[in-house]
């Protein structure tokens, strides 16, 4: 929206969990931003925390494609004026579609228009669909626009791709490489001993981590804490290892990233992002350290080629 446009009191709302902010989400959110611009209204992306599945089915934790902070960042990049996070509680899960429309859309967000995907469902036990929403829009004075789905693209499908290690297809469906974030912690320092010092990334619980294997991608500093400010925002091509490192027994599952050709980085305590571009190979147990080092050299060369 240009600086000369005056906003009226209402808003254009789009609704979803938006985990991953994938190509399908982007189509819906971008259309909401367009409608808001056309009507001189504020655009709002309404999302939920925690994931509704965790509340409706206690103990289920869908692997998260994006942290809440990253999800808001991606939505803001699409041009929305505000990201509203609704705490998803048992009480919220029990709202009827009519209650949701009245309490959340009409009263809280002052919706003048609601833009959703064709598979949108809402209210207790997902009782409401887009036709329900249209009828409620007539009652509460908001219009409804339904955006066609991007065929085959869903958060569930992307999680399955990552479970299979198919980072390249996941990146295509997301519209960018899949990102895992965390804090760099001290590991066994075996990479350093072998000449390939890695950032050992401690990820939050329920993060969607790709299948065990070696990947090409990037390592980026998101926040440096007490580290030199020159690291902040830096992004390096990387070779990434996920798994238990079968050549060394008894190692817990880790995500480790080696910034190509950098042996001078001291990132302990930094909040970093690891972006997965493509899988190079699965994990293998090597008969000797020399064979492992030779394979790492080959992995680094391939990662350099894929991230050039």
């Amino acid at each position: 929206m240009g600086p000369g446009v005056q906003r009226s009191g209402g808003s254009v709302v789009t609704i979803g969990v938006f985990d991953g902010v994938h190509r399908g989400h982007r189509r819906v959110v971008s259309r909401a931003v367009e409608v808001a611009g056309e009507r001189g209204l504020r655009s709002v992306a309404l999302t939920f925390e925690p994931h509704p599945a965790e509340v409706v089915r206690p103990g289920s934790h869908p692997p998260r494609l994006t942290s809440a902070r990253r999800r808001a960042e991606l939505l803001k990049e699409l041009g929305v004026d505000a990201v509203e996070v609704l705490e998803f509680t048992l009480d919220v899960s029990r709202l009827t579609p009519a209650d949701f429309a009245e309490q959340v859309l009409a009263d809280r967000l002052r919706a003048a228009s609601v833009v959703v995907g064709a598979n949108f469902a809402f209210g207790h036990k997902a009782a409401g669909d887009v036709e329900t929403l249209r009828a409620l829009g007539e009652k509460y004075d908001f219009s409804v626009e339904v955006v066609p789905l991007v065929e085959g693209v869903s958060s569930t499908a992307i999680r399955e791709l990552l479970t299979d290690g198919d980072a390249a297809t996941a990146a295509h469906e997301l519209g960018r490489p899949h990102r895992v974030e965390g804090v760099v912690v001290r590991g066994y320092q075996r990479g350093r001993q072998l000449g390939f010092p890695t950032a050992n990334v401690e990820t939050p619980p329920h993060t969607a981590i790709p299948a065990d294997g070696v990947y090409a991608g990037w390592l980026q500093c998101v926040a440096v804490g007490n580290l030199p400010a020159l690291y902040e925002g830096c992004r390096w091509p990387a070779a990434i290892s996920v798994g238990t490192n079968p050549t060394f027994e008894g190692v817990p599952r880790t995500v480790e990233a080696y910034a190509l050709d950098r042996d001078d980085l001291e990132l302990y305590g930094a909040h970093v992002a690891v972006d997965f571009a493509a899988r190079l190979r699965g994990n293998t147990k090597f008969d000797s350290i020399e064979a492992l080092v030779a394979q790492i050299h080959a992995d680094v060369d391939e990662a350099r080629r894929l991230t050039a």
Side-chain angles (χ1 to χ4, degrees):
M1 180 180 296
V5 177
Q6 297 297 313
R7 298 183 192 279
S8 62
S11 59
V12 176
V13 180
T14 185
I15 312 164
V17 177
F18 298 127
D19 189 26
V21 194
H22 55 58
R23 291 193 298 127
H25 295 146
R26 291 215 311 272
R27 176 186 281 185
V28 177
V29 175
S30 296
R31 180 56 189 152
V33 171
E34 285 177 5
V35 173
E38 292 164 0
R39 298 183 58 175
L41 299 172
R42 177 171 175 263
S43 57
V44 177
L46 175 67
T47 186
F48 307 96
E49 192 67 30
H51 194 293
E54 296 181 26
V55 175
V56 176
R57 294 185 294 279
S60 71
H61 294 281
R64 299 296 293 268
L65 298 172
T66 45
S67 65
R69 184 202 60 79
R70 176 64 171 160
R71 180 180 56 189
E73 178 181 83
L74 291 167
L75 290 168
K76 286 290 187 71
E77 286 177 4
L78 294 173
V80 298
D81 294 308
V83 177
E84 287 278 341
V85 180
L86 178 64
E87 182 182 3
F88 199 87
T89 63
L90 269 176
D91 286 342
V92 170
S93 77
R94 291 168 178 153
L95 290 176
T96 65
D99 288 340
F100 183 86
E102 179 182 16
Q103 296 176 27
V104 179
L105 297 179
D107 294 346
R108 174 170 171 168
L109 299 178
R110 298 166 66 194
S113 181
V114 178
V115 179
V116 293
N119 63 343
F120 179 69
F122 69 112
H124 186 50
K125 296 185 177 179
D129 59 13
V130 293
E131 293 309 317
T132 314
L133 187 65
R134 287 189 203 277
L136 289 166
E138 292 181 8
K139 180 176 180 180
Y140 293 108
D141 198 27
F142 57 79
S143 62
V144 174
E145 180 170 337
V146 179
V147 178
L149 301 179
V150 177
E151 188 173 352
V153 179
S154 71
S155 299
T156 299
I158 293 167
R159 292 186 192 103
E160 291 172 355
L161 289 168
L162 294 171
T163 298
D164 292 339
D166 191 350
T169 304
H172 177 264
E173 304 294 69
L174 286 165
R176 66 184 183 282
H178 173 60
R179 172 170 290 191
V180 166
E181 295 187 33
V183 175
V184 178
V185 298
R186 292 190 181 275
Y188 293 89
Q189 297 195 323
R190 292 196 174 109
R192 185 175 295 277
Q193 294 163 14
L194 298 174
F196 301 93
T198 59
N200 188 344
V201 183
E202 186 173 77
T203 58
H206 316 304
T207 296
I209 298 174
D212 290 2
V214 178
Y215 296 80
W218 294 268
L219 172 66
Q220 177 174 335
C221 264
V222 177
V224 295
N226 295 323
L227 299 179
L230 61 88
Y231 286 159
E232 188 147 12
C234 286
R235 190 169 190 253
W236 304 282
I240 305 154
S241 174
V242 177
T244 56
N245 202 338
T247 302
F248 302 97
E249 301 295 341
V251 179
R253 193 166 191 253
T254 60
V255 176
E256 299 179 71
Y258 164 62
L260 303 188
D261 308 314
R262 298 297 299 262
D263 60 6
D264 59 332
L265 301 177
E266 294 291 344
L267 298 175
Y268 296 123
H271 179 181
V272 300
V274 179
D275 290 338
F276 291 82
R279 192 176 196 230
L280 304 180
R281 62 177 175 86
N283 282 349
T284 304
K285 184 170 184 176
F286 293 89
D287 295 330
S288 68
I289 299 299
E290 292 75 18
L292 171 61
V293 171
Q295 182 60 60
I296 293 174
H297 277 289
D299 295 336
V300 166
D301 288 343
E302 183 65 0
R304 182 178 292 109
R305 184 185 71 80
L306 289 173
T307 58

